[in-house]
Amino acid sequence: MAKRIVILICYMLLASGFIGKNYCYAEETLSTNAEELYNLDLQDVDLAVLATTMSEWTRKKFELDNGVKGNLTLKTQKSVTKDELYNIFIEELKKEGFGIIEKGQKVVIVQDKKE
């Protein structure tokens, strides 16, 4: 079922014009210990859409602070776990000039003050 959700999200992104064709690939698989693994190639995706998607996958509630906008590319070199996916997402946010404020399961994405 989760794979169908991923595919649906890709189609929604394509239909909405947030990304062009050939720029959305996401695959969810199960490893031998039944942990979900993710393999992503998401290019130039609207940050609000990506935050919603990441909320579904990581079970953390991502929110954008007022005025936070942008696009983000998220690509994994191999299949990764939810925890690894979360860390990759946070690293990419920081590279692009965003910060985060964690409050339990809630993660607020903010514009980095250094910018």
Side-chain angles (χ1 to χ4, degrees), residues 83-99:
D83 290 338
E84 291 169 323
L85 181 60
Y86 173 80
N87 290 329
I88 291 167
F89 182 51
I90 299 305
E91 286 175 22
E92 288 301 316
L93 285 170
K94 290 179 179 179
K95 282 183 194 174
E96 294 299 319
F98 300 102

Side-chain angles (χ1 to χ4, degrees), residues 7 11 16 21-23 27 36 38 41-42 44-46 54 57 61 67 71 74 76 84 86 95 97 99 107:
I7 293 169
Y11 284 126
S16 66
K21 67 179 184 175
N22 300 326
Y23 287 101
E27 179 180 11
E36 294 174 346
Y38 301 85
D41 186 1
L42 303 174
D44 205 34
V45 178
D46 180 74
M54 291 302 294
W57 289 339
K61 183 173 175 33
N71 292 352
L74 193 60
T76 59
E84 291 169 323
Y86 173 80
K95 282 183 194 174
V107 181

